[in-house]
Amino acid sequence: MNYIDHESVANKTNSRLLKNKVLKAIFLAATMFGLIVLAILLYRIVTQGSEYLSLEFFTSFASRIPENSGIKAAILGSIYLMLLVAPISMFLGVGTAVYLEEYAKKNKFTDFIRINISNLAGVPSVVFGLLGLTIFARFFGLGISLMAAALTMSLLILPIIIVASQEAVRSVPKELRDASYAMGATKWQTILRIVLPAAIPGILTGSILALSRAIGETAPLVVLGIPTILMFTPDSIMSTFTALPMQIFDWTKRPQVAFHDVAAAGIIVLMTLLIIMNSIAVFIRNKYQKRY
Amino acid sequence: MTTTVKPKIQVPEKEKESASRGSVYQSNQLNLWYDTNHALKNIDLDIKENEVTAIIGPSGCGKSTYIKTLNRMTETIPSVKTSGEIIYRGKNILEKGYRVEELRTKVGMVFQKPNPFPKSIYENIAYGPRIHGIKNKKILDQIVEKSLRGAAIWDEVKDRLNENAYSLSGGQQQRICIARCLAIEPDVILMDEPTSALDPISTLKVEELVQELKKEYSIIIVTHNMQQAARISDKTAFFLNGEVIEFDQTDKIFSNPSDKRTEDYISGRFG
């Protein structure tokens, strides 16, 4: 007695193969949708913005005349912001991850923290903006300053860095930790000499991707009340500033069509920055992947 | 439990020698639980210095767990509870306030799977001394050479100390791990099935090394290989279901065991 009737199987083969082909086409279309939209976007931005891209664009401040407009204040603001956000968010993020993975005992309280860090990653950025406004700008009296914005942005990307660092720390084999502990090393010596060196590629990749999210964020800056037109560059962490996405946002709101092209030029700069940062992350990930 | 040497009419030479040696480890009524699983039951063992003590028994009998309590590595697993005493050189290491970092500086451990650090051979060996505060490069160089010679691997690696330890073969990696353990100048070396991941030739090398090392160190070795226990150890403890069934001179265990279960195990009737 055979359970498989080979004749009816042969009859059904055609329709199975057809189904396979149709689905392949659908999935290809799904992939192409995103790619095509991105290509159109890039094409439009480049054609619109390229005529405004020049050295002067980087060295002049914003202006009422589109031809004289530049991003000096915005790009310096964005760079200063990142210079503050990177150490703050990485110290807090890696510290939290190391505590949760290496030091914290497993109990209800730490489970609660772990779950809520993932939840925090889903909180809309405008909410973080409100939080920054209430706590850093007003309660701590930092005002509309680089520092207030940096703290807000750090908080915004903290969950991403924590989760990436946790993954990286967790992927270090237990055998390596055991070898270290068995020689009388303390937890901190083991973390510093064994765990972190092995986890650093993962931590850096996650952190750079998180920072590239922060550099493009606009909503928290809008809520904080960061100005869009500044004729000076920040001279301390307490001075006010503007950032690239804010500047672009402002230009796209202008009624003059020429400013839309200036905005496109700004977008080219911002996207180039993002692509560079993401490439660095990919490079680090590929270079240091799995050495054990 | 038969854990002490039975009275005999004629005491063999080896046994007299052993009796005169001091104890490194004494476990008294040692119990250990993983959650509700009672893994070690009232273990009483007296382990002498400068001897090789082998621990044999079937899988899951608690032999690896026992050796890991000797340097408190069981603590890295949550949900482990212990009772009883382990006296190391006169002090109960399970007592509150006993500093485990100090213990582990005197008690080295070699693991089942070779686990060198993803660092150079030199850095692997220098790791222990470095964490104990030795920074002088000359002293470190000397420790590295001495340890590698001690683990009989100096000639194979002396020209490639800066290469990653992962470039070595499994057997070489395991001897690097032994050298790394010698670098902290321990008193006792714990070996948890050190040859189970190695080929026969590497196994032989490690066994010869153990014979060499016992002149200076006390060695406790867990093995699932009875021939190995017979070849290299002075004393053997047979574990079964978390209990010590028999602990005696290796010759005695393998030629004339007192317990029926030991006899069944070593003659291959189970396990």
Side-chain angles (χ1 to χ4, degrees):
Chain A
M1 170 72 195
N2 287 334
Y3 291 99
I4 307 279
D5 177 358
H6 285 277
E7 207 164 302
S8 77
V9 169
N11 288 340
K12 280 184 197 155
T13 307
N14 272 341
S15 70
R16 280 164 57 210
L17 288 175
L18 182 69
K19 210 181 205 175
N20 185 38
K21 262 189 196 162
V22 169
L23 279 158
K24 182 182 166 188
I26 292 174
F27 295 143
L28 178 68
T31 312
M32 293 314 288
F33 181 79
L35 279 179
I36 290 169
V37 171
L38 184 68
I40 294 170
L41 176 79
L42 282 177
Y43 173 77
R44 278 209 49 184
I45 287 168
V46 171
T47 48
Q48 266 189 297
S50 51
E51 62 174 303
Y52 285 96
L53 268 186
S54 63
L55 198 61
E56 284 79 57
F57 187 63
F58 289 93
T59 53
S60 36
F61 290 107
S63 160
R64 275 183 300 122
I65 309 150
E67 284 74 22
N68 295 347
S69 292
I71 53 166
K72 185 176 179 185
I75 197 162
L76 275 173
S78 275
I79 290 171
Y80 290 155
L81 186 62
M82 285 306 109
L83 287 178
L84 284 173
V85 170
I88 295 172
S89 62
M90 281 179 73
F91 175 75
L92 292 175
V94 177
T96 309
V98 164
Y99 176 74
L100 288 177
E101 290 301 315
E102 300 288 319
Y103 284 104
K105 290 205 174 71
K106 255 196 109 51
N107 56 33
K108 281 200 180 133
F109 178 64
T110 50
D111 278 347
F112 178 77
I113 295 178
R114 281 191 184 97
I115 293 166
N116 278 287
I117 284 167
S118 320
N119 288 343
L120 217 55
V123 173
S125 53
V126 67
V127 177
F128 278 102
L130 283 169
L131 187 120
L133 181 69
T134 325
I135 295 179
F136 301 127
R138 295 201 181 138
F139 186 74
F140 288 145
L142 294 174
I144 305 163
S145 65
L146 254 177
M147 198 60 201
L151 287 170
T152 309
M153 284 293 193
S154 300
L155 219 57
L156 171 73
I157 62 172
L158 199 54
I160 311 174
I161 295 181
I162 294 173
V163 172
S165 306
Q166 274 183 298
E167 289 290 331
V169 165
R170 214 179 295 146
S171 73
V172 179
K174 183 174 184 294
E175 290 83 43
L176 296 184
R177 292 189 180 83
D178 283 354
S180 175
Y181 291 139
M183 273 184 284
T186 59
K187 269 221 160 124
W188 169 238
Q189 286 176 318
T190 306
I191 291 165
L192 181 68
R193 289 159 192 257
I194 303 297
V195 177
L196 285 183
I200 226 99
I203 292 173
L204 277 182
T205 312
S207 303
I208 294 171
L209 291 178
L211 284 176
S212 72
R213 180 175 167 202
I215 204 171
E217 270 298 343
T218 327
L221 300 180
V222 174
V223 178
L224 273 175
I226 299 300
T228 49
I229 300 172
L230 274 189
M231 304 310 279
F232 59 89
T233 54
D235 52 6
S236 84
I237 56 168
M238 292 312 292
S239 68
T240 187
F241 74 109
T242 188
L244 264 179
M246 287 301 290
Q247 185 72 75
I248 293 166
F249 177 58
D250 178 62
W251 280 330
T252 53
K253 282 191 308 186
R254 302 278 181 104
Q256 301 101 309
V257 184
F259 270 114
H260 299 170
D261 295 348
V262 180
I267 291 172
I268 295 174
V269 175
L270 184 59
M271 286 189 62
T272 311
L273 266 178
L274 287 177
I275 289 169
I276 291 171
M277 287 173 79
N278 289 6
S279 311
I280 293 171
V282 172
F283 174 76
I284 291 172
R285 188 171 55 206
N286 291 345
K287 181 146 191 233
Y288 295 103
Q289 222 168 20
K290 287 276 165 261
R291 288 172 304 171
Y292 28 83
Chain B
M1 256 135 294
T2 26
T3 56
T4 45
V5 182
K6 294 249 162 70
K8 264 174 242 86
I9 305 147
Q10 215 178 1
V11 181
E13 236 3 77
K14 248 190 163 177
E15 213 158 298
K16 264 196 252 168
E17 213 183 292
S18 175
S20 68
R21 291 199 174 105
S23 298
V24 260
Y25 270 115
Q26 285 164 300
S27 15
N28 301 327
Q29 293 295 301
L30 176 69
N31 282 282
L32 182 140
W33 293 264
Y34 292 112
D35 273 330
T36 54
N37 175 15
H38 199 175
L40 294 176
K41 297 166 191 161
N42 301 320
I43 308 282
D44 288 314
L45 277 182
D46 186 354
I47 293 167
K48 303 285 188 195
E49 59 187 9
N50 292 81
E51 282 190 339
V52 178
T53 306
I55 300 175
I56 60 167
S59 302
C61 68
K63 54 188 193 299
S64 276
T65 303
Y66 178 68
I67 200 170
K68 281 185 192 145
T69 56
L70 296 181
N71 64 346
R72 283 177 47 184
M73 281 302 282
T74 42
E75 279 172 13
T76 63
I77 308 159
S79 82
V80 162
K81 277 194 290 285
T82 50
S83 76
E85 290 184 322
I86 298 177
I87 310 289
Y88 166 70
R89 298 279 184 201
K91 275 191 187 155
N92 181 11
I93 62 166
L94 296 181
E95 208 162 74
K96 261 208 167 139
Y98 191 98
R99 281 201 288 211
V100 73
E101 286 80 12
E102 268 171 49
L103 173 72
R104 291 176 186 158
T105 316
K106 293 178 204 140
V107 181
M109 185 167 225
V110 178
F111 294 81
Q112 197 164 349
K113 229 177 77 191
N115 59 350
F117 298 126
K119 297 172 187 277
S120 71
I121 295 170
Y122 184 96
E123 284 304 320
N124 261 279
I125 312 300
Y127 185 82
R130 278 193 208 277
I131 58 175
H132 297 299
I134 293 175
K135 293 195 182 91
N136 187 322
K137 179 89 172 83
K138 266 189 195 148
I139 295 177
L140 283 174
D141 286 348
Q142 281 162 7
I143 293 176
V144 168
E145 179 171 347
K146 184 181 156 211
S147 310
L148 288 168
R149 280 189 195 283
I153 196 173
W154 171 252
D155 291 328
E156 289 162 65
V157 300
K158 65 178 176 209
D159 301 321
R160 44 199 287 211
L161 291 176
N162 290 320
E163 269 178 49
N164 195 301
Y166 279 56
S167 64
L168 301 171
S169 74
Q172 287 174 321
Q173 287 187 12
Q174 192 62 307
R175 280 181 288 146
I176 290 292
C177 293
I178 295 175
R180 183 175 66 184
C181 160
L182 298 182
I184 55 171
E185 298 178 350
D187 169 33
V188 186
I189 302 175
L190 307 174
M191 294 181 160
D192 185 6
E193 301 194 28
T195 61
S196 64
L198 304 185
D199 62 88
I201 293 170
S202 306
T203 300
L204 187 70
K205 281 191 179 154
V206 171
E207 286 184 8
E208 284 170 1
L209 185 57
V210 170
Q211 291 303 314
E212 205 47 47
L213 292 174
K214 88 174 202 198
K215 291 171 192 159
E216 283 183 65
Y217 308 92
S218 314
I219 297 172
I220 303 166
I221 181 167
V222 165
T223 175
H224 61 243
N225 179 336
M226 282 176 280
Q227 286 77 25
Q228 184 171 66
R231 277 194 299 266
I232 64 175
S233 69
D234 301 301
K235 287 225 184 111
T236 299
F238 173 56
F239 275 56
L240 186 65
N241 296 329
E243 290 177 69
V244 180
I245 304 300
E246 197 167 346
F247 178 48
D248 213 328
Q249 297 293 326
T250 299
D251 306 346
K252 169 94 174 23
I253 293 261
F254 282 93
S255 58
N256 182 23
S258 345
D259 197 289
K260 179 79 170 63
R261 289 168 291 183
T262 316
E263 197 184 333
D264 286 350
Y265 181 70
I266 59 168
S267 57
R269 248 166 269 171
F270 73 93

